[in-house]
Amino acid sequence: MTMIAPLRLLLTKARLPAGLVLFSCLQVHAANLLTNPGFENDPSGQSQKIVAWTTFTQSSGNTLNESNPSIAHTGTNYFKVYQSFTSSVNYNGIYQDVLSGPGATYSASAWAYTPSSDAIAGQNMAWVEVSFRDAAGKVLALYRSALISTNSIAAGSFPHNKWTLLPVTNQYNPVTFAITNQTSSLVAPQNTAYAHYQITFQGDAKNSAGSMYFDDLSLNQTSGGAYGNWNITWSDEFNESTINPKIWTYDTGGGGWGNNELEYYTTSSQNSYISNGVLHIVALRQSVNGSSYTSARMKSEGLYAEEYGRLEWRAKLPAGVGMWPALWLLGQDISSVSWPGCGEIDVVENNGTTLTNVQGSLHSGSDETQIYTLPAGSVTNFHIYTLDWTTNAFSFYVDGLRYETQTNWSSSVGSYPVPFNQPFFFLMNLAVGGNYVGNPTTAAINAGTTFPEELQVDYVRVYEVTDPLQLSASNVNAQVQIFRPTNVICHLQSATTLDGSWTDLPASLPNPYRLEPDATTFYRLASP
């Protein structure tokens, strides 16, 4: 698959006086980045199950989804929050973390409502905020909406019984919490890994009453690439007819692989192949060398390794008893220090009988792990599994939503941050049976799985923070030359009209590329 970079720079050269070139730009951006922004994925009625959102609260029962179409801003459901009644200042609400990167800009808002029958009172307050954070969770920049309080209600800026739009427009100093600027453009600063969208209810120490309702939350990117200045510096898009031997080799054999697995790994094209731009790793019910099943375990060991960065797979996992797919990494020094001293990073693995759960883990002598429940669908659909890896933190994401961050670990061979301070190579495999999936018998696997089963991978990509993905141009001797980045996986496309079809230009084109003197043509970059 080819992904057109969300930042599209289109260049047109028209017949102008000598030395003049006309350039035009068009930027295309995604819609609302939040998952379940209107709470319509939540169960009907009153519940504390708020799909895709993480709650923070100082007592139970004060962060709820509710169903009432006569009250909701749109649809049926909305979010209700009130204070904790702890006789001290307390904070309650929900948040969601979305992949981002430096240089990207956003707008954000929410619809809010307080009922006259239970209006916010005393010194209680509520607001919407967006902060930009690094991989370890440090707040780098902070923006908030106007505060909802008894003062704003008394002034008439926030009436009872009426949904009111709260745009996030106030920039704060994240240390002193003083307002420093008013702007509708929320800018992700250097070192940004993700955007943190949050609804906050601040309860006072007097146990004052009052509830707030929120609905139709919004976080929209307004400029920059999908991940800001994170750009693709290495990838395999699996667009070739065969698996690339310059990137991938194989582990072969059986014997359980230290996990009591039941498959025999092969290099056969029956067990791994590319079709229609997708890699297929196939488990077969096939007896080989004493094993009841065959599959494939591909790796980039000795061919490619990465140290730090944003690593990403788009993949579709199999279903069935005994199915154990994994997309993961091992330290390149495994031959000298063995496992777990070399370190292991499991970006995603899954038990084929729990189709709504995936797991991300670190193993190094200590084990750090967390399970994530998909807000909708199952692992048998394509999802994007992403890892942010820095010198002191790992963050795991599914479809752009952060669900796990690890900042501490220990090693059997050295002091922190060993072993996660060296290059790691990639692995992709589909095991059958083993400890992770509960050691099912061959009889149970054969009864509960329809073979063949497949792990399908659309792409694997590595992102690094670079200069913005863009074309640049110069006028040399009355001829225009355009330059494309050399440190980003990208290529030129052209079209004769903006609403026409785009054509890939040959990768062999010189860089810079000299434009035809009398042509009117639009150009853009595609990545990868």
Side-chain angles (χ1 to χ4, degrees), residues 328-513:
W328 53 304
L329 302 100
L330 284 171
Q332 67 175 4
D333 63 352
I334 187 171
S335 60
S336 59
V337 302
S338 71
W339 186 94
C342 65
E344 176 182 331
I345 307 168
D346 298 320
V347 178
V348 61
E349 59 185 335
N350 166 260
N351 183 333
T353 60
T354 55
L355 299 182
T356 59
N357 289 352
V358 294
Q359 189 167 8
S361 308
L362 304 178
H363 304 290
S364 58
S366 63
D367 302 300
E368 291 76 31
T369 189
Q370 192 164 327
I371 292 173
Y372 174 73
T373 300
L374 299 173
S378 80
V379 298
T380 58
N381 305 121
F382 276 104
H383 295 279
I384 297 175
Y385 302 100
T386 307
L387 175 78
D388 272 346
W389 173 18
T390 69
T391 57
N392 63 348
F394 289 87
S395 290
F396 297 78
Y397 305 78
V398 177
D399 295 331
L401 298 183
R402 186 183 68 92
Y403 74 94
E404 175 184 3
T405 293
Q406 302 291 350
T407 57
N408 290 290
W409 53 84
S410 61
S411 169
S412 59
V413 297
S415 58
Y416 181 93
V418 172
F420 301 114
N421 59 347
Q422 62 164 328
F424 276 57
F425 62 89
F426 293 86
L427 298 99
M428 302 180 289
N429 70 285
L430 175 53
V432 182
N435 302 340
Y436 182 81
V437 292
N439 293 306
T441 64
T442 55
I445 292 171
N446 295 341
T449 302
T450 302
F451 288 93
E453 279 292 346
E454 296 186 355
L455 163 62
Q456 297 184 19
V457 181
D458 182 21
Y459 59 72
V460 53
R461 295 171 178 167
V462 174
Y463 295 77
E464 302 285 351
V465 174
T466 71
D467 291 334
L469 178 62
Q470 62 186 19
L471 293 168
S472 59
S474 67
N475 197 331
V476 179
N477 297 326
Q479 290 186 317
V480 176
Q481 298 181 115
I482 55 175
F483 299 78
R484 56 192 184 275
T486 57
N487 60 338
V488 175
I489 304 296
C490 62
H491 60 281
L492 274 175
Q493 294 182 324
S494 67
T496 55
T497 62
L498 279 177
D499 56 356
S501 60
W502 290 88
T503 301
D504 286 336
L505 298 178
S508 58
L509 280 181
N511 190 17
Y513 172 57

Side-chain angles (χ1 to χ4, degrees), residues 2 6 23 32 43 72 105 207 210 264 296 303 327 334 337 365 380 415 436 448 504 521:
T2 298
F23 296 95
N32 194 354
T105 65
N207 295 337
Y264 190 95
L303 300 171
L327 305 171
I334 187 171
V337 302
T380 58
S415 58
Y436 182 81
D504 286 336
T521 307

Side-chain angles (χ1 to χ4, degrees), residues 1 60 69 76 108 110 122 141 151 166 182 193 210 250 266 308 412 421 435 447 458 513:
M1 296 177 63
S60 62
T76 298
N151 289 337
L166 289 179
Q182 288 191 327
Y250 291 85
T266 82
Y308 309 130
S412 59
N421 59 347
N435 302 340
D458 182 21
Y513 172 57

